[in-house]
Amino acid sequence: MNKVKWGIIGCGNVTEKKSGQAYNKAPNSKLVAVMRRDAAKVADYAARHHVDRWYANAGELLNDAEVTAVSVATPPASHLEYAIAALKKGLNVYVEKPVTRTSQEAQAMADAVRQYNGKLTVAHYRRALPMFLYVKDLLAKHVIGDVRTVQIRMWKSIKPDLVANSETNWRVNPELSGGGYFHDLAPHQLDLMLYFFGEPEKYHGFSLNQSNTYLADDHVCGEILFKNKVVVNGSWSFNVAESQSIDLCEIIGTAGKISFPFFGNFVTWENEQDKQTITFTHPEHIQQPMIEKIVAYFRGEGPNPCPIEEAVTLMKILDAFTGK
C-alpha cells in the first residue's frame, strides 16, 4: 500500500488537537477528507486544517475514491454503523473509544471485521505513549517484584475537568455514549490493565446514580481477577467535592510500588533499593504515536496495536461493572 489517505467521520473536539493534525504528521499518512452533519462547521474545520474536501453526509465520504482509511470519531452510538459501512467498502478503520456502547455491539463489530476480512484498530492510544510503555517495562523487569494488587481511584466533581465541553453533553446520555463519564474515561484506564496484565479470569461490579444530575450513573465500582492472579480494584465517582478530586493508579508488588495518574505526566516507583519519579512530556498530538503504529499496520508493516477482540473484552468488563 502507498500512503494511507484518511477520511474522518465526526470531526468534533477530539480531532481538533488529539488526532486530526497527526494524520498529516505521521509518515506515509495524509488527511484528505472530513465529514460532519453540520455543513458550516465541517467547512470551517476543513478550511482551518487545510483538508482538501469536506462532506455533510457520511456516505459521500465513504465513496470518496481517494480515501483508503476511515477514522470514526462520532459519539459511540454510531460507531458500529459507520465501521461496518467502511468495512463493506474495503476501507481500513480506526474507531474512537469507547469502541461501542455495549459488548454486544463490540462483538458485532468484531464479527464484521472477520466477515469482510478487514483491518480495524481501536483508539486505546495510551498503549503507545512513552509514559505507559515505561510502566510496562518496569513491570517486565520486576522492579516492584510480583504484582499483587492494583488500586484505581478516579474521583471528580459533577463537571469533570478532564472531559471536553460539548454543546449537547452527549457523554452523560446513555443512548449516545453507553453510560456516563465512566464510559468516556475508564476505557483508557481499564485497557491499560489488559495491556499490562493480560487476560482476565473474572470481573464484577456495580454502578448507581447518586446525584441524579443526569440520566447516566455517576458512581461505579469494580474488581478484576487476572489469570496471572493480579487483582485490580477500581472506584469511579463523578459527584465529589472539587477538593477531593483524584486520578491515581497504584500497582503494589512484593518488593515495592508504582504509582501514576492516568491523565497526568509522571510515574513514581519505589522498592527496597531506590525511589524515582520520572516526568514525561506527551506528544503535541497525543494520538500520533498510536496513529503511526496504525499506519504501519494498515500498510502491512507491523502488528495491530489494538485489535477489536481486545476491545470486546474491555466492553464486557464495562458491562459487568455497570450491570448491563
Side-chain angles (χ1 to χ4, degrees):
M1 180 186 287
N2 295 319
K3 184 175 288 189
V4 175
K5 304 285 186 71
W6 290 92
I8 299 176
I9 297 178
C11 50
N13 182 273
V14 71
T15 69
E16 286 286 350
K17 185 78 171 179
K18 291 181 178 180
S19 65
Q21 298 173 61
Y23 294 115
N24 286 324
K25 294 185 177 181
N28 300 306
S29 174
K30 182 181 180 182
L31 177 61
V32 298
V34 291
M35 174 269 164
R36 187 171 182 170
R37 287 179 296 179
D38 188 314
K41 288 182 177 179
V42 73
D44 173 71
Y45 184 99
R48 286 186 293 106
H49 295 292
H50 310 290
V51 182
D52 294 342
R53 295 178 298 285
W54 61 265
Y55 302 99
N57 178 279
E60 293 178 357
L61 181 140
L62 293 173
N63 286 323
D64 187 312
E66 191 178 9
V67 170
T68 60
V70 173
S71 170
V72 180
T74 60
S78 55
H79 285 185
L80 179 61
E81 173 191 353
Y82 289 139
I84 291 177
L87 290 166
K88 284 182 177 179
K89 297 278 187 182
L91 301 172
N92 297 319
V93 185
Y94 180 42
V95 186
E96 273 295 335
K97 58 82 220 162
V99 66
T100 51
R101 293 174 296 183
T102 66
S103 60
Q104 289 83 4
E105 289 184 347
Q107 185 59 58
M109 191 178 291
D111 293 343
V113 172
R114 285 192 293 273
Q115 179 182 354
Y116 298 106
N117 194 29
K119 288 186 174 182
L120 183 147
T121 300
V122 182
H124 294 145
Y125 57 83
R126 276 172 166 72
R127 292 183 176 207
L129 291 178
M131 174 174 161
F132 299 109
L133 292 174
Y134 177 70
V135 173
K136 190 172 177 65
D137 186 58
L138 290 175
L139 294 169
K141 291 177 177 176
H142 295 278
V143 170
I144 61 167
D146 296 326
V147 176
R148 294 298 186 237
T149 185
V150 182
Q151 303 292 317
I152 297 172
R153 282 183 288 167
M154 169 60 74
W155 301 340
K156 293 292 178 180
S157 69
I158 287 177
K159 294 183 178 180
D161 54 359
L162 294 173
V163 177
N165 292 322
S166 62
E167 295 175 3
T168 60
N169 201 12
W170 57 264
R171 289 173 176 83
V172 293
N173 180 345
E175 284 298 314
L176 295 177
S177 66
Y181 293 128
F182 173 77
H183 275 69
D184 189 50
L185 299 173
H188 283 308
Q189 301 166 303
L190 294 175
D191 175 70
L192 284 173
M193 297 301 101
L194 298 174
Y195 188 51
F196 292 157
F197 304 118
E199 191 175 350
E201 183 172 311
K202 57 184 176 181
Y203 35 84
H204 63 92
F206 66 89
S207 66
L208 69 158
N209 190 335
Q210 289 181 317
S211 66
N212 292 312
T213 303
Y214 38 70
L215 292 176
D217 286 354
D218 58 16
H219 195 120
V220 180
C221 294
E223 294 182 328
I224 307 171
L225 171 62
F226 284 86
K227 289 188 174 181
N228 60 7
K229 305 306 178 185
V230 171
V231 176
V232 173
N233 292 276
S235 172
W236 294 263
S237 180
F238 299 98
N239 62 13
V240 303
E242 189 69 45
S243 61
Q244 300 305 308
S245 292
I246 189 170
D247 165 20
L248 180 63
C249 179
E250 295 179 301
I251 304 175
I252 313 298
T254 55
K257 177 175 74 170
I258 302 170
S259 58
F260 56 88
F262 288 99
F263 299 92
N265 67 340
F266 67 89
V267 176
T268 297
W269 64 265
E270 58 185 275
N271 58 24
E272 296 170 353
Q273 290 78 39
D274 200 2
K275 180 176 181 178
Q276 293 189 26
T277 296
I278 309 297
T279 301
F280 293 82
T281 299
H282 291 314
E284 179 184 3
H285 310 295
I286 201 163
Q287 291 197 30
Q288 185 168 339
M290 184 63 144
I291 289 170
E292 290 177 0
K293 290 178 179 291
I294 294 166
V295 169
Y297 168 57
F298 287 172
R299 286 168 50 86
E301 299 170 343
N304 189 341
C306 186
I308 180 61
E309 290 79 10
E310 295 177 19
V312 171
T313 299
L314 173 69
M315 291 307 302
K316 287 180 178 178
I317 294 172
L318 263 63
D319 286 357
F321 284 10
T322 55
K324 289 185 179 178

